[in-house]
Amino acid sequence: MYLVAVLVIADRYEFAFDNLDIIEKCPDIPGNNGIHDLFNISELSMELQEGRLTVNGNTTSVWEGVEPTDRIQGRGELYRYRRGAWQVTPITLAVNDFCMVQYNPTSVWYQVWTSNIPLNDRKCINVYGHVYHYRPITVDTIFEYSVNMEGRHKLVVHFMAFDQLNRQRSKIICVQIPGEIIKVK
């Protein structure tokens, strides 16, 4: 009998956002307005302090051309800038029916975002005009990871809607969060 012990050493990193707006539109999709295609964020504030991003306020769903019966597909991918180009990393999150997992406590979406929406506000993002009143959301920008993560990165998130006949709606939502991952002590 052999006993194998594995010691995983994780380094600490901080994600430093490129700009104070945090969320940008994806430049490679014509007519894309990023987060503004999905939500009116005029009543939302984002504040970055000491390794934490705090989000407060309300958003209103403004995704035009979708219906509450549409299936929403979501995909988030982390890219790293290497050798003059953005390259996808193995860190990817994809869901075929976002509305089914949006409020599931085991989903990443819930842990990072939708757990902060009160029960009476919990509707899918495909309900035009719905207002989400958020409890304060705090996201740590400092994290531990066992693989070297230093360098330029961006998180790119796409949402696509499909009607009841599984035809894709024309408006694709795409947002990106670019920044630098820096090793901290």
Side-chain angles (χ1 to χ4, degrees):
M1 180 168 103
Y2 295 97
L3 178 62
V4 178
V6 177
L7 176 63
V8 177
I9 299 173
D11 289 314
R12 289 175 56 85
Y13 297 94
E14 180 171 7
F15 187 86
F17 299 100
D18 272 2
N19 61 61
L20 295 177
D21 290 335
I22 311 291
I23 302 170
E24 297 179 358
K25 65 182 181 179
C26 299
D28 56 340
I29 298 179
N32 174 43
N33 290 313
I35 193 72
H36 304 288
D37 285 338
L38 184 59
F39 294 118
N40 175 339
I41 61 169
S42 63
E43 295 180 3
L44 191 72
S45 69
M46 292 186 266
E47 184 179 336
L48 188 60
Q49 268 188 321
E50 299 176 15
R52 293 186 168 192
L53 173 66
T54 303
V55 181
N56 284 299
N58 308 321
T59 60
T60 303
S61 181
V62 295
W63 190 355
E64 292 184 359
V66 298
E67 297 293 329
T69 54
D70 287 352
R71 178 178 57 85
I72 306 301
Q73 209 174 61
R75 183 171 188 85
E77 297 174 302
L78 184 67
Y79 288 81
R80 184 173 188 171
Y81 195 75
R82 280 194 186 153
R83 299 183 182 128
W86 287 106
Q87 299 174 7
V88 71
T89 70
I91 302 173
T92 298
L93 173 65
V95 63
N96 197 38
D97 192 341
F98 180 77
C99 298
M100 293 297 293
V101 301
Q102 186 176 1
Y103 299 106
N104 181 332
T106 62
S107 79
V108 172
W109 307 97
Y110 182 83
Q111 294 168 19
V112 174
W113 170 32
T114 60
S115 64
N116 298 289
I117 298 173
L119 288 174
N120 58 337
D121 278 358
R122 293 187 176 184
K123 293 186 179 178
C124 191
I125 59 174
N126 59 1
V127 179
Y128 187 88
H130 181 68
V131 178
Y132 299 92
H133 302 88
Y134 296 103
R135 293 187 291 265
I137 302 170
T138 301
V139 178
D140 284 326
T141 60
I142 297 174
F143 61 96
E144 292 185 356
Y145 207 72
S146 59
V147 176
N148 183 359
M149 294 293 291
E150 289 181 286
R152 298 266 319 127
H153 287 77
K154 68 178 177 179
L155 175 64
V156 178
V157 178
H158 290 90
F159 288 110
M160 295 167 282
F162 295 83
D163 68 17
Q164 291 182 316
L165 297 175
N166 208 32
R167 294 176 300 208
Q168 185 175 336
R169 302 280 187 187
S170 61
K171 188 67 169 177
I172 296 173
I173 305 297
C174 184
V175 299
Q176 65 180 20
I177 303 172
E180 183 86 17
I181 295 182
I182 304 161
K183 189 174 181 179
V184 295
K185 305 223 181 233

